Amino acid sequence: MKILTLFAIFFASLFVSTADAQKYFVYDGDAFNVMLTCSSDNSKVLGVSFSNEDKTAWIEFDLLDYGDSETTETGGFRYKAKDGKGDIYWIDYFRADDYIIVSPEDYSTAWTLYRRAE
C-alpha cells in the first residue's frame, strides 16, 4: 500500500510541475485576441489559441510550421497555424516592441495585436 501511495504522490507531483511549467501571453485586437502558451523559460511556443468572435472562449489552433527571426533587428518568430475549418494563418511576433501580426495564408489582410498588461 505504501508503494501505491508513493507512486500516486510521484505522478501527482509530475502533473503539478507540468501544469506550472507554462506561461500564457494574451495579445488583444479589435476583431479577436490571441493567446500564446509558452514553455516556462519562454524558449518555445507550445500552443496558439484564438478567441471566438465575441471573445468569450478560446479556440486552439494546430501549429504547422515555425520560423526563427531572432537574428533580425526586431527579433522574434513566426508560426503557421491552422484552425478547425482548415484555414491557415501566419502569426509573426516582434520581440522588440512585443506585438504580433496575424495574416491569413494569402496575406489578403493583416491584424496587429498588442500584448495585454499582466
Side-chain angles (χ1 to χ4, degrees):
M1 191 58 139
K2 283 186 176 182
I3 293 175
L4 288 176
T5 304
L6 289 174
F7 277 122
I9 291 170
F10 173 73
F11 286 116
S13 69
L14 283 177
F15 175 75
V16 170
S17 65
T18 302
D20 290 341
Q22 296 178 350
K23 291 184 177 182
Y24 302 92
F25 300 97
V26 176
Y27 292 82
D28 295 319
D30 294 332
F32 56 87
N33 300 333
V34 172
M35 179 171 52
L36 302 178
T37 304
C38 300
S39 60
S40 61
D41 64 356
N42 281 344
S43 65
K44 183 176 181 182
V45 173
L46 304 173
V48 174
S49 300
F50 283 63
S51 67
N52 60 354
E53 290 179 13
D54 60 1
K55 299 182 181 182
T56 59
W58 292 105
I59 302 162
E60 192 164 343
F61 280 41
D62 294 327
L63 293 175
L64 303 176
D65 196 7
Y66 166 77
D68 184 350
S69 57
E70 288 298 341
T71 59
T72 66
E73 184 177 311
T74 59
F77 54 78
R78 166 182 251 206
Y79 277 93
K80 188 176 187 180
K82 180 171 72 170
D83 69 10
K85 294 184 273 183
D87 295 329
I88 304 225
Y89 297 89
W90 287 104
I91 302 159
D92 292 295
Y93 171 71
F94 299 91
R95 186 174 311 285
D97 295 316
D98 200 13
Y99 69 95
I100 63 174
I101 295 177
V102 177
S103 306
E105 187 175 34
D106 65 2
Y107 293 100
S108 58
T109 190
W111 301 272
T112 302
L113 294 84
Y114 295 93
R115 186 157 68 117
R116 182 182 296 175
E118 294 179 23

